[in-house]
Amino acid sequence: MPKTIIYEAMTEKLEILAPDGTVDEQLLPPLSQEEVLGLYRDMLTLRAFDDKALKLQRQGRMGTWASTLGQEAAQAGLAKNLTRADWLAPTFRESGLMLLFGVPAVNQYAYWKGDEAGSLFPEGVNCLPPSVPIASQLLHAVGIGMALQKKGSDGVAVGFGGDGSTSEGDFHEALNFAGVFGARTLLYVQNNQWAISVPFKRQTAAGSIAQKAHAYGIPGLQVDGNDPFAVYAGTKAALDHIRAGKGAYLVEALTYRMQSHTTADDHTRYRTPEETALWAEREPVRRTRLYLEKKEWWDEQKEAALQEELAAAVEGWVKELEARPAPKPEDMVAFMYQEMPWHLKEQYEFLKAEVKR
Amino acid sequence: MSAAKEQEETKKLTLVQAVQDALRTEMELDERVLVMGEDVGRDGGVFRATEGLLDQFGPERVMDTPLAESGIVGTALGLAVAGFRPVAEIQFMGFVYPAINQLFAHVARFRNRSRGRYPLPMVVRMPYGGGIHPPEHHSESYESLFLNTPGLKVVVPSTPTDAKGLLIQAIREEDPVIFLEPKRIYRAFREEVPSGAYTIPLGELRVAREGSDVTLIAWGAMSRVVLEASEFLVKDGVSAEVLDLRTLNPLDLDGILESVRKTGRAVVVHEAPRNTGFGAEIATLIHERLPLELEAPVARVTGFDCVFPFPMTEEHYLPTRDRVIAAVRKTLDF
Ligand SMILES: Cc1ncc(C[n+]2csc(CCOP(=O)(O)OP(=O)(O)O)c2C)c(N)n1
Ligand SMILES: [Mg+2]
């Protein structure tokens, strides 16, 4: 019997706004001037939020921080497509996206400063606390997507991961469950080229993450993650597909982690200045501004006014952070179960008494 | 310490440098020894425990792996079966869970289920414990998980000299060893460490301080806290004997009993949660073996039965010198 082809696959990459600020008019999503300016503003908001956290960390007023510098388009472009009916299962790298989704800055600053109460988000913001164990949260997003599908909800669950996360078994189990159960889930991988010191090519022998979707029977797409239009248009197409009840989707956003992995890391140990310089030219804010200026929608004056406004907003967040009451040591045992069993009651009383002494 | 007598040269090293020195020393002596894990190569490990090894031994022997703990431990097993001696690094104990299936379902059982055909000479290193104010999942101390899994040896050094000698011995063992490194004291102090290869046998505790009134039992970072308490107790006229267990499985039960027979009192200190922590096992062993020699019940100073707290309250979680002293007083006043 002759051999037959049982599968052939093709994976697309979407790029719209080039690093020099030129766009592919054919692919440009129909966004109004106001919406485009909104995206730019969102990206700068993320940058200000991130930059302040890094500064606070250096001053000893913040714990470890995982910077989103360079990943603003990958986060703001997706956030623009999300609604209050949607759910997020983020990692430690999604602080900017969470901010745009409605997780207050002060919650996130408090979390990273080292207060558990920071991850108690306001009612109506369907966002799980950020997950540190790599890839684990992707399965949560699939479970939520399965629930949304069963309930006939309009919402979509978005599970996040980095390039490194795609090596864990949980990543593959998430894609597989999402496919098998037709979960209302977007699996969104920000491929920022590095997992701490390990380059992308050490995570997989495949050329992309997006192409892995084929093996699980769901669609996959790669977008230029430093291009807010490509991220917006690509994730919109994926979300439309999911919202129409057609099942899960994998989107890979190609971006770059411009900072060290976290404030505890030193990226100069394993990256060349040539590489970081190359990506600095491709970063998202710069190209968006070039585009806006070409369109004559933006100028130095508007930029200065926005920067001033953001600086004030950031100062407000820091004030909120520093006005929070210190966490109580005894609370470490208070939230473990619905009711405290005898041994935790004993430990609660011990901690309370010890603090008083 | 075998062979140590022949050593003339020493180097002043921190605990984490001693780990690195042990790896290098043994890799130079034995070509079968491999190092693998996340960020162990180019970065030299997030704590620098494998610094310089990639340059010296190349990528065939020092492997930056994909980000997958089950993959790391599962392939280490295969490498061990096929003749290598892998030393796998799990970046933090809190990230070992994806590898638990491999560790518990296979690594711990391979010798037994192959009736000795496939022993596993492999080491799984991991920094453990609190005290460095990191984000979530970076402070766990779940040695009990491994101690409750028959088939794994469990080692926890607390000094640079012990770290090097114990790690070399762990690599030379014919059984899998979980090697727990107290990251809180990775760089707390330096010690003159013999330059060449030497080993410290597994299953021998170290008397860190001799005393006669009470036996303080600890391991890892808690050994330092207990030592500090013992120094403080001297001012009150209390002579505490401090035992640094070094190996939790096999346990030096004779060494523990010898000390408690002398003092009649014991306090076990660990930062792991109290409930079914290893302190419970040690206390039970002492009570079973020395029911008539004890002047007071064995006391425990431990972490709490909760998720390890975030940085702003973490210092309230960890056993402190004062909590150890209070437990000693209670034992003396019994
Ligand atoms: C299960 C697990 N293993 C190891 C770690 C330690 N760790 C934290 S972040 C990280 C790299 C993550 O890389 P990637 O998924 O690409 O995300 P990025 O940090 O680049 O956003 C590692 C190894 C962890 N948090 N969880
Ligand atoms: Mg990455």
Side-chain angles (χ1 to χ4, degrees), chain A residues 111 114 116 167-168 196-197 202-203 269-270 332 343-344 347 354, chain B residues 39 42-43 48 51 64 67 69 136 305-306 309-310 312 323:
Chain A
Y111 172 91
E116 280 86 347
S167 294
E168 290 278 9
I196 309 185
S197 73
R202 240 315 134 95
Q203 300 299 343
R269 288 176 64 87
Y270 50 81
M332 74 176 74
H343 64 296
L344 288 191
Q347 294 175 15
E354 191 181 59
Chain B
D39 305 286
R42 195 139 39 132
D43 197 35
R48 311 292 172 247
E51 186 156 31
D64 265 329
L67 205 177
E69 291 74 14
E136 282 186 276
D305 291 305
C306 63
F310 283 20
M312 287 173 85
R323 285 184 194 160

PDB file of all heavy atoms in Angstrom, chain A residues 111 114 116 167-168 196-197 202-203 269-270 332 343-344 347 354, chain B residues 39 42-43 48 51 64 67 69 136 305-306 309-310 312 323:
ATOM      1  N   TYR A 111       1.653  42.749  46.833  1.00  0.00           N
ATOM      2  CA  TYR A 111       2.014  41.336  46.628  1.00  0.00           C
ATOM      3  C   TYR A 111       3.536  41.191  46.532  1.00  0.00           C
ATOM      4  O   TYR A 111       4.154  40.360  47.200  1.00  0.00           O
ATOM      5  CB  TYR A 111       1.333  40.819  45.356  1.00  0.00           C
ATOM      6  CG  TYR A 111       1.772  39.441  44.910  1.00  0.00           C
ATOM      7  CD1 TYR A 111       1.107  38.301  45.340  1.00  0.00           C
ATOM      8  CD2 TYR A 111       2.860  39.281  44.043  1.00  0.00           C
ATOM      9  CE1 TYR A 111       1.514  37.036  44.927  1.00  0.00           C
ATOM     10  CE2 TYR A 111       3.268  38.022  43.629  1.00  0.00           C
ATOM     11  CZ  TYR A 111       2.597  36.905  44.070  1.00  0.00           C
ATOM     12  OH  TYR A 111       3.009  35.661  43.660  1.00  0.00           O
ATOM     13  N   GLY A 114       5.536  41.718  49.554  1.00  0.00           N
ATOM     14  CA  GLY A 114       5.558  40.585  50.473  1.00  0.00           C
ATOM     15  C   GLY A 114       4.377  40.525  51.411  1.00  0.00           C
ATOM     16  O   GLY A 114       4.502  40.100  52.554  1.00  0.00           O
ATOM     17  N   GLU A 116       0.580  38.929  51.561  1.00  0.00           N
ATOM     18  CA  GLU A 116      -0.385  38.024  50.924  1.00  0.00           C
ATOM     19  C   GLU A 116      -1.678  38.732  50.552  1.00  0.00           C
ATOM     20  O   GLU A 116      -2.324  38.390  49.552  1.00  0.00           O
ATOM     21  CB  GLU A 116      -0.749  36.864  51.860  1.00  0.00           C
ATOM     22  CG  GLU A 116       0.259  35.744  51.904  1.00  0.00           C
ATOM     23  CD  GLU A 116       1.379  35.993  52.898  1.00  0.00           C
ATOM     24  OE1 GLU A 116       1.538  37.134  53.385  1.00  0.00           O
ATOM     25  OE2 GLU A 116       2.126  35.039  53.184  1.00  0.00           O
ATOM     26  N   SER A 167       8.109  24.029  28.106  1.00  0.00           N
ATOM     27  CA  SER A 167       8.852  22.783  28.301  1.00  0.00           C
ATOM     28  C   SER A 167       8.245  21.899  29.371  1.00  0.00           C
ATOM     29  O   SER A 167       8.542  20.710  29.441  1.00  0.00           O
ATOM     30  CB  SER A 167      10.302  23.094  28.694  1.00  0.00           C
ATOM     31  OG  SER A 167      10.961  23.723  27.632  1.00  0.00           O
ATOM     32  N   GLU A 168       7.437  22.486  30.235  1.00  0.00           N
ATOM     33  CA  GLU A 168       6.861  21.700  31.334  1.00  0.00           C
ATOM     34  C   GLU A 168       5.752  20.784  30.807  1.00  0.00           C
ATOM     35  O   GLU A 168       5.007  21.159  29.885  1.00  0.00           O
ATOM     36  CB  GLU A 168       6.251  22.634  32.399  1.00  0.00           C
ATOM     37  CG  GLU A 168       7.269  23.429  33.196  1.00  0.00           C
ATOM     38  CD  GLU A 168       7.898  22.641  34.355  1.00  0.00           C
ATOM     39  OE1 GLU A 168       7.694  21.409  34.463  1.00  0.00           O
ATOM     40  OE2 GLU A 168       8.605  23.297  35.152  1.00  0.00           O
ATOM     41  N   ILE A 196      15.053  32.895  32.340  1.00  0.00           N
ATOM     42  CA  ILE A 196      16.225  33.321  33.103  1.00  0.00           C
ATOM     43  C   ILE A 196      17.420  33.347  32.131  1.00  0.00           C
ATOM     44  O   ILE A 196      17.422  34.176  31.224  1.00  0.00           O
ATOM     45  CB  ILE A 196      16.486  32.484  34.372  1.00  0.00           C
ATOM     46  CG1 ILE A 196      15.173  32.379  35.228  1.00  0.00           C
ATOM     47  CG2 ILE A 196      17.566  33.162  35.231  1.00  0.00           C
ATOM     48  CD1 ILE A 196      15.352  31.671  36.564  1.00  0.00           C
ATOM     49  N   SER A 197      18.377  32.405  32.268  1.00  0.00           N
ATOM     50  CA  SER A 197      19.589  32.474  31.418  1.00  0.00           C
ATOM     51  C   SER A 197      19.530  31.510  30.246  1.00  0.00           C
ATOM     52  O   SER A 197      20.505  31.374  29.507  1.00  0.00           O
ATOM     53  CB  SER A 197      20.817  32.126  32.263  1.00  0.00           C
ATOM     54  OG  SER A 197      20.832  30.724  32.537  1.00  0.00           O
ATOM     55  N   ARG A 202      17.035  26.421  23.598  1.00  0.00           N
ATOM     56  CA  ARG A 202      17.239  25.329  24.539  1.00  0.00           C
ATOM     57  C   ARG A 202      15.911  24.756  25.062  1.00  0.00           C
ATOM     58  O   ARG A 202      15.885  23.759  25.768  1.00  0.00           O
ATOM     59  CB  ARG A 202      18.045  25.824  25.740  1.00  0.00           C
ATOM     60  CG  ARG A 202      19.374  25.148  26.010  1.00  0.00           C
ATOM     61  CD  ARG A 202      19.337  23.664  25.925  1.00  0.00           C
ATOM     62  NE  ARG A 202      20.439  23.107  25.170  1.00  0.00           N
ATOM     63  CZ  ARG A 202      21.574  22.662  25.687  1.00  0.00           C
ATOM     64  NH1 ARG A 202      21.763  22.675  26.967  1.00  0.00           N
ATOM     65  NH2 ARG A 202      22.504  22.197  24.911  1.00  0.00           N
ATOM     66  N   GLN A 203      14.814  25.445  24.759  1.00  0.00           N
ATOM     67  CA  GLN A 203      13.518  24.942  25.242  1.00  0.00           C
ATOM     68  C   GLN A 203      12.882  23.983  24.250  1.00  0.00           C
ATOM     69  O   GLN A 203      12.053  23.169  24.625  1.00  0.00           O
ATOM     70  CB  GLN A 203      12.544  26.097  25.515  1.00  0.00           C
ATOM     71  CG  GLN A 203      13.013  27.092  26.566  1.00  0.00           C
ATOM     72  CD  GLN A 203      13.232  26.482  27.940  1.00  0.00           C
ATOM     73  OE1 GLN A 203      12.763  25.390  28.237  1.00  0.00           O
ATOM     74  NE2 GLN A 203      13.964  27.200  28.790  1.00  0.00           N
ATOM     75  N   ARG A 269      25.380  38.459  32.575  1.00  0.00           N
ATOM     76  CA  ARG A 269      26.165  37.218  32.688  1.00  0.00           C
ATOM     77  C   ARG A 269      25.958  36.298  31.498  1.00  0.00           C
ATOM     78  O   ARG A 269      26.770  35.412  31.252  1.00  0.00           O
ATOM     79  CB  ARG A 269      25.774  36.453  33.957  1.00  0.00           C
ATOM     80  CG  ARG A 269      26.246  37.091  35.232  1.00  0.00           C
ATOM     81  CD  ARG A 269      25.712  36.311  36.421  1.00  0.00           C
ATOM     82  NE  ARG A 269      26.248  34.951  36.474  1.00  0.00           N
ATOM     83  CZ  ARG A 269      27.389  34.623  37.059  1.00  0.00           C
ATOM     84  NH1 ARG A 269      28.122  35.545  37.639  1.00  0.00           N
ATOM     85  NH2 ARG A 269      27.807  33.375  37.068  1.00  0.00           N
ATOM     86  N   TYR A 270      24.826  36.428  30.829  1.00  0.00           N
ATOM     87  CA  TYR A 270      24.530  35.443  29.774  1.00  0.00           C
ATOM     88  C   TYR A 270      24.013  36.049  28.473  1.00  0.00           C
ATOM     89  O   TYR A 270      23.711  35.324  27.544  1.00  0.00           O
ATOM     90  CB  TYR A 270      23.534  34.402  30.315  1.00  0.00           C
ATOM     91  CG  TYR A 270      22.297  34.987  30.984  1.00  0.00           C
ATOM     92  CD1 TYR A 270      21.226  35.421  30.211  1.00  0.00           C
ATOM     93  CD2 TYR A 270      22.215  35.117  32.359  1.00  0.00           C
ATOM     94  CE1 TYR A 270      20.104  35.968  30.797  1.00  0.00           C
ATOM     95  CE2 TYR A 270      21.094  35.668  32.961  1.00  0.00           C
ATOM     96  CZ  TYR A 270      20.043  36.087  32.182  1.00  0.00           C
ATOM     97  OH  TYR A 270      18.940  36.635  32.767  1.00  0.00           O
ATOM     98  N   MET A 332      -0.829  34.314  59.071  1.00  0.00           N
ATOM     99  CA  MET A 332      -0.244  33.251  58.228  1.00  0.00           C
ATOM    100  C   MET A 332      -0.977  31.921  58.396  1.00  0.00           C
ATOM    101  O   MET A 332      -1.022  31.122  57.477  1.00  0.00           O
ATOM    102  CB  MET A 332       1.276  33.106  58.464  1.00  0.00           C
ATOM    103  CG  MET A 332       1.677  32.452  59.757  1.00  0.00           C
ATOM    104  SD  MET A 332       3.478  32.215  59.875  1.00  0.00           S
ATOM    105  CE  MET A 332       4.097  33.862  60.178  1.00  0.00           C
ATOM    106  N   HIS A 343      -4.895  22.730  66.085  1.00  0.00           N
ATOM    107  CA  HIS A 343      -3.455  23.036  66.089  1.00  0.00           C
ATOM    108  C   HIS A 343      -3.174  24.410  65.490  1.00  0.00           C
ATOM    109  O   HIS A 343      -2.259  25.111  65.933  1.00  0.00           O
ATOM    110  CB  HIS A 343      -2.646  21.922  65.420  1.00  0.00           C
ATOM    111  CG  HIS A 343      -2.905  21.701  63.968  1.00  0.00           C
ATOM    112  ND1 HIS A 343      -4.114  21.278  63.480  1.00  0.00           N
ATOM    113  CD2 HIS A 343      -2.095  21.826  62.899  1.00  0.00           C
ATOM    114  CE1 HIS A 343      -4.025  21.158  62.156  1.00  0.00           C
ATOM    115  NE2 HIS A 343      -2.823  21.485  61.784  1.00  0.00           N
ATOM    116  N   LEU A 344      -3.976  24.814  64.527  1.00  0.00           N
ATOM    117  CA  LEU A 344      -3.760  26.160  63.985  1.00  0.00           C
ATOM    118  C   LEU A 344      -4.253  27.229  64.955  1.00  0.00           C
ATOM    119  O   LEU A 344      -3.664  28.308  65.042  1.00  0.00           O
ATOM    120  CB  LEU A 344      -4.441  26.307  62.623  1.00  0.00           C
ATOM    121  CG  LEU A 344      -3.766  25.540  61.480  1.00  0.00           C
ATOM    122  CD1 LEU A 344      -4.340  25.942  60.133  1.00  0.00           C
ATOM    123  CD2 LEU A 344      -2.262  25.755  61.480  1.00  0.00           C
ATOM    124  N   GLN A 347      -1.475  27.752  67.202  1.00  0.00           N
ATOM    125  CA  GLN A 347      -0.382  28.481  66.555  1.00  0.00           C
ATOM    126  C   GLN A 347      -0.762  29.950  66.352  1.00  0.00           C
ATOM    127  O   GLN A 347       0.083  30.845  66.468  1.00  0.00           O
ATOM    128  CB  GLN A 347      -0.011  27.784  65.229  1.00  0.00           C
ATOM    129  CG  GLN A 347       0.572  26.387  65.500  1.00  0.00           C
ATOM    130  CD  GLN A 347       0.856  25.564  64.246  1.00  0.00           C
ATOM    131  OE1 GLN A 347       0.899  26.083  63.137  1.00  0.00           O
ATOM    132  NE2 GLN A 347       1.053  24.266  64.431  1.00  0.00           N
ATOM    133  N   GLU A 354       3.190  36.292  70.886  1.00  0.00           N
ATOM    134  CA  GLU A 354       4.612  36.579  70.712  1.00  0.00           C
ATOM    135  C   GLU A 354       4.826  38.000  70.194  1.00  0.00           C
ATOM    136  O   GLU A 354       5.738  38.701  70.614  1.00  0.00           O
ATOM    137  CB  GLU A 354       5.244  35.579  69.751  1.00  0.00           C
ATOM    138  CG  GLU A 354       6.761  35.661  69.748  1.00  0.00           C
ATOM    139  CD  GLU A 354       7.408  34.693  68.769  1.00  0.00           C
ATOM    140  OE1 GLU A 354       7.113  34.779  67.568  1.00  0.00           O
ATOM    141  OE2 GLU A 354       8.193  33.862  69.208  1.00  0.00           O
TER     142      GLU A 354
ATOM    143  N   ASP B  39      19.491  26.620  34.244  1.00  0.00           N
ATOM    144  CA  ASP B  39      20.437  27.719  34.475  1.00  0.00           C
ATOM    145  C   ASP B  39      21.757  27.285  35.120  1.00  0.00           C
ATOM    146  O   ASP B  39      22.487  28.116  35.634  1.00  0.00           O
ATOM    147  CB  ASP B  39      19.791  28.824  35.328  1.00  0.00           C
ATOM    148  CG  ASP B  39      18.499  29.337  34.711  1.00  0.00           C
ATOM    149  OD1 ASP B  39      18.577  30.070  33.706  1.00  0.00           O
ATOM    150  OD2 ASP B  39      17.400  29.002  35.215  1.00  0.00           O
ATOM    151  N   ARG B  42      25.471  28.257  31.567  1.00  0.00           N
ATOM    152  CA  ARG B  42      26.000  29.582  31.270  1.00  0.00           C
ATOM    153  C   ARG B  42      25.920  30.533  32.471  1.00  0.00           C
ATOM    154  O   ARG B  42      26.810  31.315  32.735  1.00  0.00           O
ATOM    155  CB  ARG B  42      25.217  30.175  30.095  1.00  0.00           C
ATOM    156  CG  ARG B  42      25.926  31.343  29.525  1.00  0.00           C
ATOM    157  CD  ARG B  42      25.951  31.483  28.021  1.00  0.00           C
ATOM    158  NE  ARG B  42      24.773  31.148  27.264  1.00  0.00           N
ATOM    159  CZ  ARG B  42      24.283  31.961  26.316  1.00  0.00           C
ATOM    160  NH1 ARG B  42      24.839  33.133  26.103  1.00  0.00           N
ATOM    161  NH2 ARG B  42      23.262  31.577  25.587  1.00  0.00           N
ATOM    162  N   ASP B  43      24.825  30.447  33.207  1.00  0.00           N
ATOM    163  CA  ASP B  43      24.617  31.326  34.351  1.00  0.00           C
ATOM    164  C   ASP B  43      25.375  30.828  35.587  1.00  0.00           C
ATOM    165  O   ASP B  43      25.549  31.566  36.545  1.00  0.00           O
ATOM    166  CB  ASP B  43      23.114  31.388  34.648  1.00  0.00           C
ATOM    167  CG  ASP B  43      22.738  32.566  35.542  1.00  0.00           C
ATOM    168  OD1 ASP B  43      23.384  33.632  35.405  1.00  0.00           O
ATOM    169  OD2 ASP B  43      21.825  32.433  36.358  1.00  0.00           O
ATOM    170  N   ARG B  48      24.880  30.382  41.872  1.00  0.00           N
ATOM    171  CA  ARG B  48      26.292  30.226  41.483  1.00  0.00           C
ATOM    172  C   ARG B  48      26.904  28.929  42.015  1.00  0.00           C
ATOM    173  O   ARG B  48      28.128  28.841  42.154  1.00  0.00           O
ATOM    174  CB  ARG B  48      27.164  31.416  41.967  1.00  0.00           C
ATOM    175  CG  ARG B  48      26.608  32.779  41.642  1.00  0.00           C
ATOM    176  CD  ARG B  48      26.624  33.070  40.156  1.00  0.00           C
ATOM    177  NE  ARG B  48      25.924  34.307  39.866  1.00  0.00           N
ATOM    178  CZ  ARG B  48      24.776  34.392  39.183  1.00  0.00           C
ATOM    179  NH1 ARG B  48      24.191  33.297  38.712  1.00  0.00           N
ATOM    180  NH2 ARG B  48      24.215  35.551  38.951  1.00  0.00           N
ATOM    181  N   GLU B  51      28.989  27.533  39.125  1.00  0.00           N
ATOM    182  CA  GLU B  51      29.770  28.535  38.406  1.00  0.00           C
ATOM    183  C   GLU B  51      31.095  27.942  37.889  1.00  0.00           C
ATOM    184  O   GLU B  51      31.796  27.244  38.613  1.00  0.00           O
ATOM    185  CB  GLU B  51      30.070  29.709  39.341  1.00  0.00           C
ATOM    186  CG  GLU B  51      30.757  30.851  38.634  1.00  0.00           C
ATOM    187  CD  GLU B  51      30.526  32.178  39.343  1.00  0.00           C
ATOM    188  OE1 GLU B  51      30.385  32.168  40.578  1.00  0.00           O
ATOM    189  OE2 GLU B  51      30.487  33.201  38.656  1.00  0.00           O
ATOM    190  N   ASP B  64      22.568  22.709  30.519  1.00  0.00           N
ATOM    191  CA  ASP B  64      21.410  23.571  30.747  1.00  0.00           C
ATOM    192  C   ASP B  64      20.219  22.845  30.128  1.00  0.00           C
ATOM    193  O   ASP B  64      20.188  22.626  28.914  1.00  0.00           O
ATOM    194  CB  ASP B  64      21.606  24.912  30.018  1.00  0.00           C
ATOM    195  CG  ASP B  64      22.197  25.980  30.922  1.00  0.00           C
ATOM    196  OD1 ASP B  64      21.928  25.953  32.138  1.00  0.00           O
ATOM    197  OD2 ASP B  64      22.925  26.848  30.404  1.00  0.00           O
ATOM    198  N   LEU B  67      13.132  23.819  30.711  1.00  0.00           N
ATOM    199  CA  LEU B  67      12.528  24.131  32.014  1.00  0.00           C
ATOM    200  C   LEU B  67      11.495  23.054  32.365  1.00  0.00           C
ATOM    201  O   LEU B  67      10.303  23.206  32.074  1.00  0.00           O
ATOM    202  CB  LEU B  67      11.864  25.513  31.926  1.00  0.00           C
ATOM    203  CG  LEU B  67      11.673  26.322  33.209  1.00  0.00           C
ATOM    204  CD1 LEU B  67      11.073  27.680  32.882  1.00  0.00           C
ATOM    205  CD2 LEU B  67      10.900  25.629  34.281  1.00  0.00           C
ATOM    206  N   GLU B  69      11.137  19.980  35.447  1.00  0.00           N
ATOM    207  CA  GLU B  69      11.735  19.212  36.543  1.00  0.00           C
ATOM    208  C   GLU B  69      11.526  17.715  36.375  1.00  0.00           C
ATOM    209  O   GLU B  69      12.393  16.910  36.718  1.00  0.00           O
ATOM    210  CB  GLU B  69      11.180  19.692  37.887  1.00  0.00           C
ATOM    211  CG  GLU B  69      11.633  21.100  38.271  1.00  0.00           C
ATOM    212  CD  GLU B  69      10.951  22.206  37.489  1.00  0.00           C
ATOM    213  OE1 GLU B  69       9.940  21.933  36.818  1.00  0.00           O
ATOM    214  OE2 GLU B  69      11.425  23.355  37.547  1.00  0.00           O
ATOM    215  N   GLU B 136       6.820  33.945  46.505  1.00  0.00           N
ATOM    216  CA  GLU B 136       6.189  32.664  46.840  1.00  0.00           C
ATOM    217  C   GLU B 136       6.976  31.468  46.308  1.00  0.00           C
ATOM    218  O   GLU B 136       7.594  31.553  45.243  1.00  0.00           O
ATOM    219  CB  GLU B 136       4.821  32.591  46.141  1.00  0.00           C
ATOM    220  CG  GLU B 136       3.723  33.351  46.773  1.00  0.00           C
ATOM    221  CD  GLU B 136       2.401  33.072  46.048  1.00  0.00           C
ATOM    222  OE1 GLU B 136       2.146  33.721  45.028  1.00  0.00           O
ATOM    223  OE2 GLU B 136       1.639  32.225  46.519  1.00  0.00           O
ATOM    224  N   ASP B 305       2.006  25.280  60.712  1.00  0.00           N
ATOM    225  CA  ASP B 305       1.310  24.416  59.747  1.00  0.00           C
ATOM    226  C   ASP B 305       0.539  25.251  58.740  1.00  0.00           C
ATOM    227  O   ASP B 305      -0.695  25.235  58.687  1.00  0.00           O
ATOM    228  CB  ASP B 305       0.410  23.436  60.496  1.00  0.00           C
ATOM    229  CG  ASP B 305       1.246  22.422  61.259  1.00  0.00           C
ATOM    230  OD1 ASP B 305       2.097  21.767  60.611  1.00  0.00           O
ATOM    231  OD2 ASP B 305       1.096  22.311  62.481  1.00  0.00           O
ATOM    232  N   CYS B 306       1.311  25.982  57.972  1.00  0.00           N
ATOM    233  CA  CYS B 306       0.693  26.883  56.994  1.00  0.00           C
ATOM    234  C   CYS B 306       1.607  27.017  55.794  1.00  0.00           C
ATOM    235  O   CYS B 306       2.741  26.532  55.808  1.00  0.00           O
ATOM    236  CB  CYS B 306       0.463  28.263  57.627  1.00  0.00           C
ATOM    237  SG  CYS B 306       1.967  29.103  58.115  1.00  0.00           S
ATOM    238  N   PRO B 309       5.005  31.936  54.678  1.00  0.00           N
ATOM    239  CA  PRO B 309       4.494  33.289  54.421  1.00  0.00           C
ATOM    240  C   PRO B 309       5.382  34.130  53.504  1.00  0.00           C
ATOM    241  O   PRO B 309       6.564  33.848  53.320  1.00  0.00           O
ATOM    242  CB  PRO B 309       4.423  33.906  55.815  1.00  0.00           C
ATOM    243  CG  PRO B 309       5.339  33.098  56.652  1.00  0.00           C
ATOM    244  CD  PRO B 309       5.409  31.730  56.066  1.00  0.00           C
ATOM    245  N   PHE B 310       4.768  35.161  52.974  1.00  0.00           N
ATOM    246  CA  PHE B 310       5.473  36.136  52.139  1.00  0.00           C
ATOM    247  C   PHE B 310       6.503  36.897  52.980  1.00  0.00           C
ATOM    248  O   PHE B 310       6.439  36.901  54.201  1.00  0.00           O
ATOM    249  CB  PHE B 310       4.461  37.120  51.545  1.00  0.00           C
ATOM    250  CG  PHE B 310       3.657  36.581  50.383  1.00  0.00           C
ATOM    251  CD1 PHE B 310       3.523  35.224  50.157  1.00  0.00           C
ATOM    252  CD2 PHE B 310       3.015  37.458  49.521  1.00  0.00           C
ATOM    253  CE1 PHE B 310       2.774  34.742  49.094  1.00  0.00           C
ATOM    254  CE2 PHE B 310       2.260  36.993  48.447  1.00  0.00           C
ATOM    255  CZ  PHE B 310       2.134  35.635  48.232  1.00  0.00           C
ATOM    256  N   MET B 312       7.038  39.820  54.154  1.00  0.00           N
ATOM    257  CA  MET B 312       6.794  40.769  55.252  1.00  0.00           C
ATOM    258  C   MET B 312       6.540  40.098  56.597  1.00  0.00           C
ATOM    259  O   MET B 312       6.676  40.736  57.642  1.00  0.00           O
ATOM    260  CB  MET B 312       5.664  41.729  54.890  1.00  0.00           C
ATOM    261  CG  MET B 312       6.114  42.764  53.854  1.00  0.00           C
ATOM    262  SD  MET B 312       4.775  43.799  53.250  1.00  0.00           S
ATOM    263  CE  MET B 312       4.740  45.071  54.527  1.00  0.00           C
ATOM    264  N   ARG B 323      12.887  31.417  70.620  1.00  0.00           N
ATOM    265  CA  ARG B 323      11.943  30.294  70.738  1.00  0.00           C
ATOM    266  C   ARG B 323      12.662  29.030  71.193  1.00  0.00           C
ATOM    267  O   ARG B 323      12.117  28.232  71.948  1.00  0.00           O
ATOM    268  CB  ARG B 323      11.242  30.045  69.393  1.00  0.00           C
ATOM    269  CG  ARG B 323      10.186  31.084  69.068  1.00  0.00           C
ATOM    270  CD  ARG B 323       9.467  30.732  67.768  1.00  0.00           C
ATOM    271  NE  ARG B 323       8.700  31.873  67.285  1.00  0.00           N
ATOM    272  CZ  ARG B 323       8.281  32.022  66.022  1.00  0.00           C
ATOM    273  NH1 ARG B 323       8.571  31.104  65.124  1.00  0.00           N
ATOM    274  NH2 ARG B 323       7.585  33.082  65.676  1.00  0.00           N
TER     275      ARG B 323
END
